Amino acid sequence: MKIYTLQAKQKLPISLQEAWDFLSDPRNLKTITPDYMGFKILSGADRKMYAGQIIQYIVTPVAGIKTKWVTEITHTADKEYFVDEQRFGPYALWHHKHFIKEIPGGVEMEDIIDYKVPFGILGQLVHPFLVKPKLKEIFDYREKKLIELFGDFKSQKEKQVELV
């Protein structure tokens, strides 16, 4: 069974503390998720992220079909990284690492997501024209929203979004 990887990097002209404060607050997920996805947190977002935290939410990723998604924050290191893993939801596997580091003039955020689509060979067949483009669209939206919120880093040439 194929495991896919999405990697995204973005630089923002903000402090490490400001970036961490925003990213470690689960309520901000709604802000950086496209409105059409109907993102709604059901429970678990009442405090900043911590290892063992369970967050439940509803998303509507495709064709108006509401999907419950449950993730667990499995690892955190203050102002360095956190990891969320799907416990229940639309993917057969979802392991999302969020890294953040200080760089001259701001911060660099890096996401690495390893995921597997459900439905075996059928899921693999729809991945290139349904799942992969949808994930790219979501991360493109997030990039634009973060620039809107925090400003554009002067050296956006180094920004990378790659789906493998």
Side-chain angles (χ1 to χ4, degrees):
M1 293 189 195
K2 176 107 171 107
I3 295 178
Y4 302 96
T5 300
L6 176 145
Q7 294 178 301
K9 283 187 182 181
Q10 183 174 4
K11 295 178 180 182
L12 292 171
I14 58 177
S15 71
L16 183 61
Q17 185 66 54
E18 186 177 7
W20 183 257
D21 288 346
F22 183 83
L23 295 170
S24 64
D25 185 341
R27 294 170 296 189
N28 290 326
L29 276 170
K30 181 171 177 53
T31 303
I32 59 174
T33 302
D35 291 339
Y36 72 82
M37 291 196 63
F39 185 91
K40 180 180 178 188
I41 295 175
L42 300 174
S43 66
D46 54 333
R47 57 183 76 179
K48 286 196 174 217
M49 288 186 193
Y50 60 90
Q53 183 176 21
I54 299 289
I55 305 168
Q56 298 182 53
Y57 42 97
I58 296 284
V59 291
T60 311
V62 179
I65 301 168
K66 289 186 179 188
T67 303
K68 187 171 187 179
W69 199 338
V70 179
T71 58
E72 178 181 357
I73 305 302
T74 57
H75 301 81
T76 63
D78 189 49
K79 294 186 222 53
E80 289 181 43
Y81 71 90
F82 63 93
V83 178
D84 68 86
E85 296 181 8
Q86 175 188 282
R87 293 294 173 242
F88 177 83
Y91 291 90
L93 167 74
W94 181 269
H95 185 268
H96 185 175
K97 297 173 284 287
H98 309 254
F99 297 98
I100 183 170
K101 68 179 180 182
E102 195 165 23
I103 58 170
V107 295
E108 179 181 81
M109 303 179 322
E110 179 179 18
D111 291 273
I112 302 170
I113 303 169
D114 294 299
Y115 65 99
K116 188 165 77 170
V117 293
F119 309 119
I121 203 80
L122 179 61
Q124 289 179 33
L125 289 172
V126 301
H127 177 263
F129 63 87
L130 182 63
V131 179
K132 183 177 177 178
K134 182 63 69 176
L135 285 172
K136 183 173 180 346
E137 179 182 296
I138 291 165
F139 272 80
D140 286 348
Y141 177 89
R142 185 185 81 164
E143 176 192 350
K144 289 175 188 158
K145 193 65 177 179
L146 288 169
I147 289 170
E148 204 177 284
L149 292 169
F150 299 112
D152 197 3
F153 195 83
K154 299 298 179 211
S155 177
Q156 279 296 317
K157 294 176 193 168
E158 297 173 354
K159 190 240 15 147
Q160 300 172 352
V161 173
E162 179 183 341
L163 292 171
V164 180

